[in-house]
Amino acid sequence: MKNIAFVLFASCLLVFNAHAAENILDISIPELKNYQVNNEKMVSSGLPTKPHLEMLQKIGLNQVVDLIPGDRTEHQQLISSLALGYHNIAVEWENPTLANFQEYVSIMQNLNEHDGVTLTHCRLNWRGSVFTYLYQVTQLQVPEETAKQEMLAIWQPNEIWLGFIDHVLAHYQK
């Protein structure tokens, strides 16, 4: 009987902690463009500043995936100065590729094995919302409509990005 009571208590505690983790991530971050909580280990946004990153760090942020192409040295130095892990995938706005997404999957799978929260960002969270949507659907088995609503709350993908989404989904449905 004690074992059953302990198991029930432990189960309730786990559910409470998971719910609390989601709630703590769901905070208001002034002027952080298109901030969104994807799950208890993933958030996405537009380009964060140092104060944004410090605020996110207080709720468990420890990794950043930057989807902006070009020279990211200054941003990488900012992230490193805060002792956060940094990963850059140079996703060209006019030409997102399956290889870009596969690199993202590899990074996220590696990071999800560790504690902490990962921020996926780009300039406006348009690239980021597509990548987090696709990751949730293809890797985490989140229902497509649920993940899609999150993405559509940020932006309506254009023809290039709709084609990219279709290409990635077709690849992972094989």
Side-chain angles (χ1 to χ4, degrees):
M1 186 68 168
K2 284 184 180 180
N3 287 342
I4 292 172
F6 177 76
V7 169
L8 287 173
F9 174 75
S11 297
C12 289
L13 192 59
L14 285 173
V15 169
F16 174 77
N17 283 341
H19 184 66
E22 283 186 46
N23 287 341
I24 197 168
L25 293 173
D26 200 14
I27 62 171
S28 174
I29 302 178
E31 299 177 18
L32 180 54
K33 190 79 170 169
N34 293 325
Y35 173 71
Q36 188 171 67
V37 176
N38 304 110
N39 63 42
E40 69 277 358
K41 296 188 84 162
M42 290 174 52
V43 296
S44 62
S45 75
L47 185 61
T49 62
K50 184 176 182 180
H52 295 141
L53 292 166
E54 290 171 337
M55 187 177 288
L56 287 167
Q57 208 171 17
K58 290 177 184 174
I59 59 170
L61 178 70
N62 65 3
Q63 298 290 326
V64 175
V65 179
D66 175 1
L67 302 178
I68 301 172
D71 182 3
R72 304 301 296 149
T73 305
E74 190 175 317
H75 190 62
Q76 182 177 7
Q77 289 171 346
L78 167 63
I79 302 295
S80 295
S81 76
L82 296 171
L84 298 169
Y86 178 78
H87 312 271
N88 178 244
I89 305 170
V91 181
E92 296 293 333
W93 178 250
E94 297 290 326
N95 188 31
T97 66
L98 177 61
N100 292 149
F101 183 69
Q102 289 172 325
E103 183 178 356
Y104 181 75
V105 168
S106 177
I107 290 168
M108 291 300 290
Q109 286 176 339
N110 216 8
L111 297 178
N112 281 336
E113 293 176 5
H114 303 6
D115 289 336
V117 176
T118 299
L119 167 66
T120 299
H121 82 78
C122 55
R123 292 196 199 305
L124 298 172
N125 199 18
W126 292 1
R127 291 176 186 104
S129 66
V130 171
F131 274 62
T132 56
Y133 154 70
L134 289 169
Y135 184 76
Q136 290 181 90
V137 171
T138 64
Q139 306 302 307
L140 302 179
Q141 284 66 56
V142 170
E144 204 246 335
E145 277 308 308
T146 302
K148 190 175 199 174
Q149 289 307 313
E150 287 181 9
M151 176 186 66
L152 294 175
I154 301 298
W155 79 300
Q156 304 290 320
N158 63 23
E159 286 183 34
I160 290 170
W161 285 86
L162 288 173
F164 171 69
I165 289 167
D166 289 344
H167 180 65
V168 170
L169 290 176
H171 175 81
Y172 282 92
Q173 289 173 351
K174 290 181 183 176

